[in-house]
Amino acid sequence: MLRHPEAYADHAADFWLMVGANVDRGLQLALRALVMRQTTRSYALVQRATTARNQTARDAP
């Protein structure tokens, strides 16, 4: 990730959103991926991360 962030940011965001269960980190990396590459996948990843973040906020006591 450090040597080639443009190649791995979207994969890392996927990881943190799914396996890593860290929505904030996933959203941060999804936005980073979008800045580097404006692809359909990047936009979809940001949408998914934003939805997950909003859901987490609603579920908080």
Side-chain angles (χ1 to χ4, degrees), residues 16-55:
W16 287 111
L17 289 171
M18 302 296 289
V19 180
N22 186 332
V23 174
D24 291 330
R25 182 69 175 138
L27 178 57
Q28 179 185 39
L29 288 165
L31 291 169
R32 185 174 178 181
L34 181 61
V35 167
M36 289 185 278
R37 293 183 179 169
Q38 294 78 43
T39 64
T40 301
R41 176 178 163 77
S42 295
Y43 283 104
L45 191 56
V46 168
Q47 179 63 40
R48 200 172 95 223
T50 302
T51 299
R53 179 66 187 108
N54 291 341
Q55 184 63 43

